[in-house]
Amino acid sequence: MTRTPGPDTGGPLMFVRYAYPPNALGYCGPADFAAFREYAVAGVVDRGLVQLAQAFAGAWPYLELIAAGCGIGDPLDRRVVEAYWVGNDLLDQVPVTEIGDSMRDRFRPRTGRNFPFLAEGVQAGGVPHHSFAVFCVYPWTGLLGDNRMAEHALMVLDRCRIRWGKVTAVQGDQATVEYRPLCWDGRLLTLGEPASETARLALDGSAMAGGIGPGDWVSLHWDWICDRLTQRQLRALRDFTMRHLDLVNHRVEHPGTVAVLG
């Protein structure tokens, strides 16, 4: 690995911190998840990391879409990576036509007759944020109406979304975090009352995001803490998550008016 100095490392390493948790579980990305994680632990960026990032067939096209729509040359620019995982003002700068064209190219072959639902979701305000992918593209929302699958679907939706929480304690490689879990009442997806969970900070003493302690607001993906959140990032993550939850719930309450897959 060749160390790349300066701020250029920020975006790629941020991408690793958010993408590693599902990669380690085998859900997406390259097969060598240990090598992928090592980049964040070592703080190193090289061409190999870029190639590993491109192996994320779900996330990488969104990064390309945001970068192209905002005139940014590098999909791993920190602003672009932050926009996708956390949210920032770049998302509302991507032209709706470009979002629609990207969705058509990526998803029409896989969704067939359900594609108009996805396209309408974009027209209703959906943007290329990870929460849009989780709630409006992946099939799990549509499985909530199946009593046999609802509990598992809700678990996946809650773990897969980037959620926010406040660290209340740190014990070695783990932290206790208070957050609001996703809830399903048979009609609407909402955020429930605060609950505590245990999340990973490090593996065998090696942390991807260091210096996190009690009182910090953090982002979480699956069973890992990804990063410490600034107040701006915390607001953005909340706002874009709620935007796409509203799309889902409006679809449930008014069938045929706002579409999501499922």
Side-chain angles (χ1 to χ4, degrees):
M1 299 181 186
T2 302
R3 184 175 295 277
T4 301
D8 292 342
T9 62
L13 296 181
M14 184 182 194
F15 182 82
V16 179
R17 291 195 296 273
Y18 281 87
Y20 170 75
N23 181 227
L25 294 171
Y27 293 143
C28 56
D32 193 352
F33 61 85
F36 183 62
R37 176 179 172 276
E38 181 58 29
Y39 278 101
V41 173
V44 169
V45 172
D46 63 14
R47 180 58 191 167
L49 174 54
V50 176
Q51 292 173 339
L52 290 173
Q54 291 172 336
F56 286 83
W60 185 257
Y62 282 107
L63 300 183
E64 290 183 315
L65 170 62
I66 297 167
C70 296
I72 297 172
D74 181 8
L76 287 176
D77 183 289
R78 183 178 178 88
R79 296 165 295 171
V80 174
V81 175
E82 180 188 69
Y84 175 65
W85 292 114
V86 178
N88 59 34
D89 58 4
L90 291 185
L91 294 177
D92 286 317
Q93 296 177 31
V94 181
V96 171
T97 54
E98 292 194 21
I99 299 175
D101 288 346
S102 175
M103 295 296 171
R104 180 195 62 213
D105 294 342
R106 295 176 60 205
F107 296 114
R108 185 186 290 276
R110 288 191 289 171
T111 59
R113 62 184 179 83
N114 287 324
F115 178 77
F117 296 145
L118 178 56
E120 289 171 17
V122 172
Q123 293 295 325
V127 292
H129 185 260
H130 184 64
S131 63
F132 180 79
V134 173
F135 297 138
C136 304
V137 176
Y138 299 162
W140 298 103
T141 300
L143 295 175
L144 290 171
D146 184 335
N147 290 334
R148 298 167 301 173
M149 293 294 296
E151 183 177 354
H152 180 68
L154 183 65
M155 181 277 293
V156 173
L157 287 166
D158 197 37
R159 300 287 94 185
C160 187
R161 71 183 176 104
I162 307 301
R163 56 203 189 281
W164 58 92
K166 192 172 187 178
V167 176
T168 59
V170 173
Q171 311 93 15
D173 284 358
Q174 297 183 321
T176 303
V177 183
E178 185 178 84
Y179 86 113
R180 295 180 63 188
L182 201 62
C183 295
W184 169 249
D185 65 2
R187 189 173 62 93
L188 299 176
L189 271 174
T190 59
L191 297 181
E193 294 300 315
S196 291
E197 69 168 296
T198 300
R200 288 181 175 271
L201 273 173
L203 181 63
D204 297 328
S206 297
M208 293 190 294
I212 290 173
D216 287 335
W217 284 94
V218 295
S219 52
L220 303 105
H221 198 189
W222 289 94
D223 57 345
W224 277 85
I225 290 175
C226 302
D227 217 346
R228 180 188 295 106
L229 294 174
T230 66
Q231 287 300 306
R232 175 188 62 80
Q233 291 174 322
L234 179 60
R235 287 193 299 271
L237 182 54
R238 285 171 170 165
D239 289 348
F240 285 106
T241 298
M242 297 311 299
R243 178 191 294 200
H244 295 124
L245 275 179
D246 287 345
L247 284 182
V248 171
N249 289 331
H250 193 77
R251 166 68 174 166
V252 171
E253 291 189 307
H254 306 280
T257 58
V258 176
V260 296
L261 291 184

